[in-house]
Amino acid sequence: MATFSNPVVHVDEEFYFFTGHAMWQGAWPFVDVWDRKPIGLFLLYALPAAFGFPAGIWAYQAMALASVVATGWLIARMAERLGGGAGATAAGIAYILWLDVLGGQGGQAPVFYNLLMIGAAWLILESDARGSRMPGLGAMALVGVVLQIKYSAVFEGMVFGLWLLGAEWRRSRSPLALIPYGIALIVIALTPTLAAAGVYAAIGQWDAFLYANFLSIFHRNPDPLPELAGNLGQMVLILSPIVTLAVLGLKRTWREDSGKTLLAVWLGAAIIGVLLFRPWFDHYGLPILLPACTAAAAMLGREDWRRRDTPALLLTVALAGQIVLLSLRHERGDGAEFAALSDAVGKGPGCLYVYSGTTMLYVATRRCTLSRYIVPAHLSRAREAGATGVDQDAEIARILAQRPGVVVMRPTYNGERSAAHARVLTAMEDGYRLTAKLPMGNEMIRVYKSTR
């Protein structure tokens, strides 16, 4: 509850909400608002954004809460189905609690699509149990939806598809049966992505769709090795207890059982899938929690654990989660600080340029934008140089040439191009005045207004 109504829980969610809100004004992702995330994520956020600001903040966070509870419940049911009934409830609770220490306290993409992935895994178990193709086709349909929320789920989706093909081969031993089934699984999984591509092709924006969704990521520059190592180390540290319990649980209850084998394969696939996609922010590890918590039920429900160790573990994670939430609130800011900053920006005439800071200001102040590059890092961060389809300095110069009515800047940050920051500061010396310097978390945000 500590994050409810806070519009600045995480920069990602701020941008997703902005884009969902902009779509109601006729904006097209990748064309009018640039990013690499699939359009399904923005369509998801468009639902709560329809309520406007601030009601939409409550709406998306309520959606996230409902998704978390449903996912935890399905984890418990799956653990029970696979023989871990004694620890099933603890496994579901563990998932919910671990979200707070792994960056899932708000509406990150995995918070929503984890529900679909656990549903897909359940349907695969149904397919194996019934010897039927239909649940498997349903599983890949869910995977297809997930891919339009976050492409990084592709590795788990491929493993799910291969599992279904292996099960079909064991049942039929017939290539003639296997090949059309495999084609059907692929087509169903790709249908949402193909549909999105078709829409953009139909409006003459195929190139924009292709570059943003599939090509730009390969042009992005890597973060410095120490930063990558720190991100990965933090994620490993947070996940290691539950992953260790998962491995011990699988080892303790291992038998020739397709469900347990699927769980082990899924856990391995989730870990490999995360390792393949840098820069390893903490919330990148959220998909690992699904198979890990489910498999950990065997240990969490062990008789000698239930009395002391399991409650102690869950209590420790719960307390750690609250400490993390309070720390992040101190670091990133809260609703009161955002309201003060929003008031300082104001709703008067003139467009807004958030060179660095929270993009939620665009929604709260209803000021117009001057670029399709809304995420500040796309123009100011070194790793994005040459990876967004525009020259960063040229776009900043173009924005400043339009004389935005208000410019917002945070202090310099790690990974920022110093030349870009200096360019904007220099521009603020000509026809702008500093009208406010307000706290947002542990930073002071500067608001400049045009004097012309």
Side-chain angles (χ1 to χ4, degrees):
M1 298 300 291
T3 60
F4 259 97
S5 80
N6 185 359
V8 288
V9 173
H10 195 283
V11 293
D12 290 351
E13 298 163 34
E14 297 165 33
F15 173 67
Y16 303 156
F17 189 88
F18 165 85
T19 307
H21 184 267
M23 291 176 73
W24 289 107
Q25 317 305 317
W28 285 80
F30 322 126
V31 179
D32 303 304
V33 181
W34 195 89
D35 197 55
R36 299 183 180 90
K37 304 298 189 302
I39 193 171
L41 181 58
F42 302 126
L43 288 172
L44 179 66
Y45 265 83
L47 298 175
F51 294 97
F53 182 90
I57 304 300
W58 286 88
Y60 97 75
Q61 291 170 356
M63 287 169 54
L65 175 61
S67 181
V68 165
V69 173
T71 304
W73 182 81
L74 278 176
I75 286 173
R77 299 289 71 76
M78 179 169 283
E80 188 175 40
R81 178 172 186 165
L82 297 177
T89 299
I93 293 173
Y95 172 78
I96 295 172
L97 296 178
W98 238 277
L99 294 177
D100 284 345
V101 294
L102 202 57
Q105 64 272 20
Q108 285 289 356
V111 169
F112 295 106
Y113 76 68
N114 274 359
L115 177 59
L116 302 180
M117 289 302 283
I118 192 74
W122 182 276
L123 287 174
I124 291 173
L125 291 180
E126 285 291 306
S127 178
D128 289 349
R130 300 180 192 175
S132 170
R133 292 180 172 185
M134 289 305 296
L137 295 172
M140 295 311 290
L142 291 178
V143 168
V145 175
V146 169
L147 290 176
Q148 273 306 297
I149 298 176
K150 194 71 176 289
Y151 286 123
S152 60
V154 64
F155 195 76
E156 291 171 84
M158 290 172 59
V159 168
F160 279 2
L162 291 172
W163 178 274
L164 290 167
L165 286 177
E168 175 64 24
W169 174 254
R170 289 190 295 273
R171 285 194 297 266
S172 67
R173 299 289 178 177
S174 169
L176 294 178
L178 190 68
I179 292 174
Y181 183 48
I183 293 174
L185 293 175
I186 294 171
V187 169
I188 287 174
L190 293 180
T191 292
T193 300
L194 293 174
V199 169
Y200 276 87
I203 64 170
Q205 297 293 342
W206 162 252
D207 289 343
F209 176 86
L210 178 65
Y211 182 77
N213 282 262
F214 302 112
L215 301 181
S216 67
I217 189 65
F218 296 106
H219 297 161
R220 192 164 71 175
N221 304 299
D223 285 324
L225 186 58
E227 183 176 341
L228 289 174
N231 291 347
L232 182 60
Q234 178 182 339
M235 186 167 57
V236 170
L237 180 66
I238 295 170
L239 283 169
S240 57
I242 195 67
V243 171
T244 300
L245 288 177
V247 173
L248 292 174
L250 288 169
K251 182 179 179 181
R252 178 174 179 266
T253 61
W254 186 260
R255 60 182 183 276
E256 291 298 324
D257 177 88
S258 63
K260 287 292 178 66
T261 305
L262 172 63
L263 201 55
V265 171
W266 182 15
L267 177 60
I271 293 173
I272 294 173
V274 168
L275 293 177
L276 289 177
F277 294 97
R278 295 178 299 184
W280 301 313
F281 296 126
D282 52 2
H283 59 272
Y284 283 25
L286 293 174
I288 295 175
L289 291 178
L290 292 178
C293 289
T294 306
M299 288 297 294
L300 295 173
R302 206 170 73 174
E303 186 173 354
D304 56 333
W305 269 67
R306 288 203 307 268
R307 298 175 182 175
R308 184 180 61 185
D309 295 339
T310 296
L313 174 66
L314 296 179
L315 180 60
T316 299
V317 177
L319 291 174
Q322 295 308 300
I323 293 172
V324 169
L325 291 182
L326 292 174
S327 174
L328 290 176
R329 189 167 183 168
H330 171 75
E331 176 185 337
R332 298 171 181 170
D334 56 25
E337 291 178 337
F338 177 80
L341 181 60
S342 180
D343 288 342
V345 171
K347 297 182 179 180
C351 293
L352 170 64
Y353 176 36
V354 179
Y355 164 77
S356 56
T358 169
T359 56
M360 194 65 80
L361 285 170
Y362 289 113
V363 180
T365 65
R366 301 179 185 176
R367 287 184 180 268
C368 54
T369 62
L370 295 171
S371 173
R372 67 187 186 127
Y373 296 94
I374 301 300
V375 176
H378 286 159
L379 298 181
S380 62
R381 198 174 183 102
R383 75 169 176 224
E384 296 291 352
T388 59
V390 69
D391 180 271
Q392 291 174 305
D393 289 325
E395 183 66 8
I396 291 174
R398 189 189 69 80
I399 295 169
L400 294 173
Q402 297 178 75
R403 301 298 303 180
V406 184
V407 177
V408 174
M409 298 183 71
R410 60 181 284 207
T412 55
Y413 64 90
N414 185 35
E416 182 183 15
R417 295 185 305 113
S418 58
H421 194 96
R423 174 189 289 270
V424 179
L425 275 181
T426 300
M428 294 302 97
E429 296 174 359
D430 180 19
Y432 286 88
R433 62 186 177 89
L434 179 65
T435 59
K437 192 173 183 181
L438 296 170
M440 177 61 70
N442 60 3
E443 295 183 336
M444 296 298 291
I445 307 299
R446 288 165 292 170
V447 177
Y448 295 89
K449 290 191 175 181
S450 175
T451 59
R452 297 179 183 177

